Amino acid sequence: MKGNVMGGRTGGETGNGEREPVSVTVMLPAALADQLKEFCRNCRVPRDLVVERALIEYFREGDMSH
């Protein structure tokens, strides 16, 4: 994950406490990448949306399972 540190804040933070979108490249094992492609094709959804929603769920605020 790439981010610049500016003014004591980490990349992605804005002055009002909200976060800006940050581009991230995720490397998946070939079998998992194939499953993701098939799922997206069958459900007609873009891969980036599936990954984004999965990450939002995984890092849900207050969830300490990670």
Side-chain angles (χ1 to χ4, degrees):
M1 184 171 179
K2 294 178 3 181
N4 297 325
V5 176
M6 299 178 71
R9 295 182 299 208
T10 59
E13 288 183 43
T14 63
N16 59 4
E18 295 181 15
R19 296 199 176 261
E20 298 175 6
V22 177
S23 179
V24 177
T25 300
V26 178
M27 302 296 289
L28 300 173
L32 186 54
D34 289 342
Q35 284 181 311
L36 178 61
K37 285 182 195 177
E38 184 177 334
F39 174 83
C40 292
R41 183 179 59 243
N42 291 341
C43 295
R44 297 181 181 163
V45 294
R47 283 178 270 179
D48 57 341
L49 181 61
V50 172
V51 172
E52 177 183 335
R53 287 187 179 176
L55 289 172
I56 288 169
E57 183 66 23
Y58 183 79
F59 290 108
R60 185 175 59 238
E61 189 172 339
D63 182 0
M64 301 304 284
S65 64
H66 55 275

